[in-house]
C-alpha cells in the first residue's frame, strides 16, 4: 500500500465551485506539505504544516486554505475555484526538520477548472 | 532560499554514465543538497542528499564540490526508466524545498 495517498486522482470542476483535495499518510510523519505544479514547471509550495496545531503559508497560498484534521490527514481547499488553478497538486510528508530528511510525495491530483 | 541552476535538458545513451550538474553558489553552510526526480505522470521521488562529503546509494552517487557551490548527480548506467526531470534543491533546517525547473534527462536506446 502507498505511504502517501491523495483523493481524488482526477477532478473536473466549474469556476466558482468549492473543492477539497485530501491527503493521507501512513508514515507517521509530523510534517505535511501541499504543492502545485503547472505544466512544464517545477513545484510551488502552497501550505505546510509541521504538526496538527501548526499551519503555515507557502509561496502561493492566495485562493487556497488547508485543514490538518489529524497527524495523518491534511486537506487542501479551493474556496472558489478559478481556471488558473488548473494544475497538478501534490501532497508530501517528511520527518522532523534538519534539512536531511527527504520528502515523500503522493501520486498527485489533476485538477481542471472550467 | 538557496537558488540552484541546472541545464534545462540533457541526453544520454542507455547503459552509459550520466553526470547531471547543479550550481548552488548561494547555498548556506547548513543547507543539505537534495536531488529528486519526477518520472512522467508521477510525483517527485527522493534520489539522494549530502552536506559536504560525496554520497552513494543504490540509485546514484552525489559528488559535492569542496566549496559546496556545485554538485553533480551521477547515474552510473542510465536505463530507459531513468528518463525523468531531475531537481537539485538546497534543503534548509526548516526542511523547505524550493523546486526550480530541473533538468529533463532523455535516455536513448
Amino acid at each position: 500500500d502507498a505511504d502517501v495517498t491523495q483523493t481524488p486522482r482526477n477532478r473536473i470542476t466549474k469556476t466558482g465551485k468549492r473543492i477539497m483535495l485530501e491527503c493521507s499518510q501512513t508514515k507517521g510523519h509530523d510534517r505535511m506539505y501541499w504543492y502545485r505544479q503547472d505544466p512544464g514547471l517545477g513545484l510551488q509550495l502552497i501550505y505546510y504544516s509541521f504538526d496538527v496545531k501548526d499551519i503555515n503559508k507557502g509561496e502561493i497560498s492566495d485562493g487556497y486554505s488547508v485543514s490538518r484534521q489529524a497527524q495523518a490527514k491534511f486537506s487542501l481547499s479551493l474556496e472558489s475555484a478559478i481556471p488558473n488553478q488548473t494544475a497538478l497538486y501534490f501532497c508530501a510528508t517528511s520527518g522532523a526538520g534538519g534539512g536531511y530528511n527527504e520528502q515523500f510525495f503522493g501520486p498527485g491530483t489533476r485538477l481542471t477548472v472550467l | 532560499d538557496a537558488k540552484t541552476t541546472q541545464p534545462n535538458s540533457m541526453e544520454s545513451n542507455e547503459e552509459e554514465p550520466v553526470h547531471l550538474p547543479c550550481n548552488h553558489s548561494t547555498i548556506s553552510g547548513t543547507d543539505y543538497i537534495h536531488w529528486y526526480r519526477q518520472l512522467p505522470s508521477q510525483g517527485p521521488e527522493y534520489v539522494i542528499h549530502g552536506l559536504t562529503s560525496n554520497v552513494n546509494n543504490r540509485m546514484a552517487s552525489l559528488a559535492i564540490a569542496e566549496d559546496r557551490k556545485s554538485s553533480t548527480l551521477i547515474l552510473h548506467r542510465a536505463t530507459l526508466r531513468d528518463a525523468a526531470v531531475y531537481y537539485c534543491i538546497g534543503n534548509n533546517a526548516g526542511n523547505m524545498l524550493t523546486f526550480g525547473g530541473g533538468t529533463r534527462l532523455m535516455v536513448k536506446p
Side-chain angles (χ1 to χ4, degrees):
Chain A
D1 286 344
D3 295 317
V4 184
T5 56
Q6 294 183 232
T7 55
R9 294 294 312 280
N10 287 284
R11 181 71 183 267
I12 300 173
T13 191
K14 294 183 178 179
T15 297
K17 295 289 188 183
R18 183 178 189 275
I19 186 166
M20 179 181 288
L21 309 182
E22 300 191 359
C23 176
S24 294
Q25 53 112 349
T26 58
K27 298 192 74 67
H29 287 160
D30 285 327
R31 298 185 173 210
M32 298 187 73
Y33 310 78
W34 274 105
Y35 292 89
R36 163 184 170 152
Q37 185 174 36
D38 293 303
L41 300 180
L43 281 70
Q44 294 175 283
L45 183 62
I46 307 173
Y47 269 95
Y48 60 101
S49 169
F50 285 174
D51 65 39
V52 175
K53 297 180 181 178
D54 180 61
I55 292 179
N56 305 279
K57 293 182 177 180
E59 309 167 69
I60 55 163
S61 58
D62 287 349
Y64 301 94
S65 63
V66 291
S67 173
R68 185 81 184 267
Q69 300 94 324
Q71 185 202 40
K73 296 184 183 297
F74 192 35
S75 300
L76 176 72
S77 293
L78 286 67
E79 298 301 326
S80 179
I82 57 176
N84 76 2
Q85 291 177 313
T86 293
L88 266 174
Y89 290 85
F90 291 102
C91 173
T93 76
S94 74
Y100 46 82
N101 280 309
E102 66 262 38
Q103 291 191 12
F104 296 86
F105 287 82
T109 294
R110 184 174 298 278
L111 176 66
T112 302
V113 183
L114 301 176
Chain B
D1 290 349
K3 295 208 182 323
T4 61
T5 304
Q6 301 176 253
N8 289 334
S9 63
M10 290 185 65
E11 218 171 66
S12 171
N13 294 316
E14 197 176 10
E15 299 193 2
E16 289 186 357
V18 182
H19 290 230
L20 297 166
C22 179
N23 288 320
H24 33 75
S25 57
T26 62
I27 199 169
S28 80
T30 55
D31 284 359
Y32 282 76
I33 299 152
H34 281 236
W35 283 80
Y36 286 77
R37 72 179 186 181
Q38 188 173 19
L39 301 170
S41 302
Q42 294 188 26
E45 69 172 334
Y46 165 81
V47 176
I48 199 167
H49 76 269
L51 186 61
T52 56
S53 303
N54 295 343
V55 184
N56 300 297
N57 67 19
R58 64 175 181 81
M59 289 181 73
S61 295
L62 177 60
I64 302 172
E66 199 168 326
D67 62 8
R68 288 190 12 102
K69 291 185 177 181
S70 66
S71 62
T72 302
L73 179 71
I74 303 164
L75 306 180
H76 295 286
R77 288 182 67 218
T79 69
L80 296 178
R81 287 175 293 180
D82 290 323
V85 178
Y86 287 79
Y87 296 100
C88 164
I89 302 168
N91 191 356
N92 59 30
N95 206 25
M96 309 305 298
L97 300 182
T98 300
F99 285 80
T103 296
R104 181 173 298 278
L105 175 66
M106 293 167 281
V107 180
K108 296 184 293 184

